[in-house]
Amino acid sequence: MDDEAFGGRVLASTAGYGEAAEVLAEQYESVTFEEVHREVLHLFPTRPGSVLDIGAGSGRDAAALAARGHRVVAVEPTGELRAVGMRIHAGRGIEWADDALPELSAMGTRTFDLILLTAVWMHLDAGQRVAGMARLAGLLASGGRVVLSLRHGPVPAGRRMFAVTARETVDLARTCGLDVLHLAEREDPHGRPGVSWTYLAFGGA
């Protein structure tokens, strides 16, 4: 199975997503933004601000946040998924970007009030997680928050995922000057057997 080419190199972290883009988009859109993020909704900015949605997929979350008045940058390195998201959420005022962790080079020196990573972090290997957390800390505006979810359970065929714990993620965030604001566990919103999630939120120390 081919991995997604990005910037002249191969992104193993996106393996299995491009060829299944239409099916995955339908799956993502079948569950509401409010249901997926029910554990952390209270941590999202209530006033319009700048949001970076990393691994935006079909754009479900980006569209919901844009509808709440936020300025949203949706980063999605899988071209097929990005194209689907741009089509189904056209006219929402979302800025789409072909970019990826850990570098997120297209973001330059921009900063964001909310950085959202939904089902992204466990695709990164250990070295990428170290570099990626430092990059997230650098992209966070004063008073901003990083909200991410970790998937636990069986790895779908053709995908690359790592067994990443909440403890490791918390420790890594702290080394980058981020404090833990929230930690919650929950069942899989799609009801998949053996799958569960950890939701984490971090803020500047």
Side-chain angles (χ1 to χ4, degrees):
M1 183 174 293
D2 293 335
D3 294 336
E4 174 76 9
F6 175 79
R9 56 183 166 76
V10 170
L11 283 182
S13 58
T14 64
Y17 282 89
E19 53 269 52
E22 293 286 350
V23 173
L24 288 171
E26 184 176 351
Q27 174 185 311
Y28 299 157
E29 298 287 330
S30 71
V31 182
T32 66
F33 167 83
E34 290 80 8
E35 170 59 21
V36 170
H37 299 289
R38 70 183 190 198
E39 308 294 338
V40 288
L41 281 175
H42 64 287
L43 296 166
F44 290 2
T46 54
R47 296 180 179 178
S50 55
V51 175
L52 179 61
D53 184 8
I54 301 173
S58 66
R60 175 200 61 213
D61 298 344
L65 289 162
R68 286 160 172 75
H70 300 297
R71 302 179 302 279
V72 182
V73 179
V75 166
E76 178 49 60
T78 302
E80 295 89 340
L81 266 176
R82 193 170 61 253
V84 173
M86 293 174 72
R87 184 185 77 238
I88 64 179
H89 295 297
R92 298 294 187 95
I94 300 166
E95 177 188 343
W96 287 87
D98 181 5
D99 207 355
L101 282 167
E103 292 88 357
L104 287 171
S105 55
M107 296 302 101
T109 59
R110 300 170 72 170
T111 58
F112 300 88
D113 300 308
L114 173 66
I115 301 176
L116 183 63
L117 302 94
T118 305
V120 169
W121 200 246
M122 66 282 173
H123 290 299
L124 305 176
D125 65 30
Q128 291 172 324
R129 295 195 297 273
V130 171
M133 189 65 79
R135 181 62 169 136
L136 294 178
L139 288 166
L140 198 61
S142 176
R145 291 167 176 172
V146 176
V147 176
L148 65 83
S149 59
L150 298 172
R151 184 188 193 275
H152 311 291
V155 179
R159 308 274 178 82
R160 185 187 83 155
M161 296 182 188
F162 298 94
V164 183
T165 66
R167 173 50 55 192
E168 175 203 308
T169 310
V170 166
D171 290 345
L172 184 56
R174 285 176 171 157
T175 67
C176 295
L178 300 175
D179 283 338
V180 182
L181 303 176
H182 188 78
L183 190 160
E185 310 283 345
R186 68 164 292 181
E187 77 287 352
D188 181 44
H190 296 280
R192 290 167 292 197
V195 176
S196 62
W197 296 84
T198 300
Y199 283 77
L200 290 159
F202 304 106

